[in-house]
Amino acid sequence: MNDQAQILDGKALASEIREEVRGYVERAVRQGHRPPKLVAILVGNDGASETYVAAKAQDCAEVGFDSEVIRLSAHVSEQELLRVVRSLNENPGVDGFIVQLPLPAHIDEQKILFSIDPDKDVDGFHPVNVGKMCLGLSSFLPATPAGILEMLERTGVETEGKHVVVIGRSNIVGRPMSILLSRNARPGNATVTLCHSRSVHLRAHCQSADILVAALGRPGFVGRDLVKPGAVVIDVGITRVADASRKSGFRLSGDVDFEAVAPVASWITPVPGGVGPMTRAGLLTNTRRAHQMRFPNTDLE
Ligand code: GUN
C-alpha cells in the first residue's frame, strides 16, 4: 500500500498544452492565416454555465484564439437558436463552436446538437463524431474524456490490459470514456466495465478496478472502501455544494472522498485542478484541429 497517492496535476498539464497551442497559433499567424476562432452560445444565465463559458473565453485569450460568446435569452425560441447555429455553420471566420448545455426545457437539445456542422462540432457531441469515435476513426473527441486520456498519456499511466471501471453513463463523459479506453489504441486497450445507477455489485466492480473513473455527479460517493490499493483514481465530479464560509456561497466537490482515498491510491486527481483544466484544454485542442482542417498547410515547421 502507498503512503499517499501521487497527484495527477491537471492544472500543470493543461498549462503545458496551452503553451503548445499558443505555439501553433504563432506559427499559423506567421504563415499568414487568421488565428483560430471559437464561439460559445450561452442560453439563459445558469451560474455554472456562465462560469464555464467565461473560463473557455479566458483560455482562448491566453493561447491567442479569437473567441465570442453569443448570449441568448432563456426564452429564446428553438427556431431562433437553430437560426444562430446555421449562421455559425456557414461563417468561414468561425472554426468551431459549442452550444453550452444544459438548454432550457422548451428546447430540444438533440435537435440543436444535430444541426451543428460536424466539422465545427468541437464538443464532439454530433452523432457523426460520436459514430466516428466508436469506429476508431479520426474525429473531434468530447473534451472531458479526451482530456483524461491526455492526462494518462502525459503522466505515463499504462492502460493496456488494465481493468477500468467507469461510474456514470452520460453521453458527455462516462459512455465516451468507456469507448475510448476500450479502443485498440494508445491510450486504450483496457478492459472496461461501465457502471451506472442500475448496476448490481457496483462495489465489487469498483474494488477490482486498476483505474477508477468517477463521473456520476454525487459528491464524495467514492470512499476508501471502493478503491483497490494502488488503483488510479480519476474524479470527474464538480458539484456545487453550499458553503457559507465561502464568498461565493459554495465550493466545488468531486465524486471522490479525496482525503480518504489518497492514502490507498497510486495516482489521484484533485478537485479542483484535476480533470477540469484538462477538459478546457481538450476544447482548445479540438478548436486548433478545426482550424488546421481549414488551413491544412499550417504547422509544417
Ligand atoms: N455543459 C457541461 N459540460 C459541457 C460541455 O463539455 N460542453 C457543453 N457544450 N456544455 C456542457
Side-chain angles (χ1 to χ4, degrees):
M1 201 187 291
N2 302 284
D3 289 328
Q4 191 75 18
Q6 297 190 74
I7 299 295
L8 284 159
D9 189 346
K11 198 171 161 193
L13 291 170
S15 164
E16 200 176 289
I17 293 166
R18 284 197 301 276
E19 260 320 293
E20 293 164 13
V21 175
R22 197 193 350 219
Y24 167 81
V25 177
E26 281 168 7
R27 290 193 294 282
V29 170
R30 219 181 302 131
Q31 290 172 26
H33 303 304
R34 60 162 177 75
K37 179 165 183 178
L38 173 68
V39 175
I41 303 175
L42 180 57
V43 181
N45 38 26
D46 173 71
S49 292
E50 291 270 4
T51 307
Y52 293 149
V53 167
K56 289 166 186 174
Q58 185 192 321
D59 288 342
C60 285
E62 195 180 323
V63 300
F65 286 5
D66 285 336
S67 77
E68 183 184 341
V69 179
I70 299 179
R71 292 173 171 276
L72 300 172
S73 145
H75 306 292
V76 71
S77 68
E78 191 175 277
Q79 193 93 0
E80 173 60 12
L81 180 53
L82 282 170
R83 199 194 58 72
V84 174
V85 167
R86 289 194 191 109
S87 78
L88 291 173
N89 284 344
E90 285 158 19
N91 184 344
V94 173
D95 297 294
F97 63 98
I98 64 163
V99 180
Q100 186 65 33
L101 304 177
L103 290 170
H106 70 278
I107 293 178
D108 181 345
E109 189 172 293
Q110 265 200 359
K111 197 164 167 184
I112 301 300
L113 295 180
F114 281 33
S115 71
I116 297 173
D117 177 351
D119 286 344
K120 293 193 175 189
D121 170 39
V122 285
D123 257 334
F125 294 167
H126 190 283
V128 164
N129 285 317
V130 177
K132 284 183 172 175
M133 174 189 70
C134 292
L135 294 169
L137 302 173
S138 147
S139 66
F140 292 118
L141 299 178
T144 301
I148 293 171
L149 287 187
E150 194 68 37
M151 175 184 255
L152 295 173
E153 188 173 20
R154 288 182 185 241
T155 313
V157 172
E158 184 57 77
T159 58
E160 182 162 322
K162 303 294 182 194
H163 182 210
V164 174
V165 173
V166 179
I167 318 174
R169 57 180 158 184
S170 72
N171 290 338
I172 296 183
V173 184
R175 193 176 306 281
M177 187 80 265
S178 71
I179 292 164
L180 288 167
L181 281 168
S182 65
R183 294 201 307 190
N184 184 359
R186 282 192 79 84
N189 283 323
T191 304
V192 180
T193 302
L194 180 56
C195 290
H196 46 76
S197 53
R198 307 294 166 89
S199 293
V200 183
H201 309 312
L202 175 110
R203 201 181 148 84
H205 289 308
C206 293
Q207 285 167 341
S208 75
D210 302 308
I211 300 173
L212 183 60
V213 182
L216 69 161
R218 294 213 3 218
F221 180 86
V222 175
R224 189 179 184 134
D225 56 318
L226 291 189
V227 178
K228 180 169 84 172
V232 176
V233 179
I234 312 283
D235 189 352
V236 184
I238 32 162
T239 307
R240 288 183 169 195
V241 175
D243 185 342
S245 72
R246 302 286 176 101
K247 211 170 102 190
S248 62
F250 67 85
R251 66 189 153 80
L252 294 179
S253 175
D255 290 346
V256 176
D257 180 346
F258 185 93
E259 298 304 325
V261 170
V264 291
S266 59
W267 291 92
I268 190 167
T269 60
V271 175
V275 172
M278 294 306 289
T279 296
R280 289 164 55 181
L283 184 63
L284 295 178
T285 302
N286 279 346
T287 306
R288 165 196 170 149
R289 186 188 152 81
H291 181 271
Q292 229 165 348
M293 280 159 58
R294 202 168 273 279
F295 304 104
N297 294 326
T298 310
D299 210 21
L300 294 176
E301 289 169 32

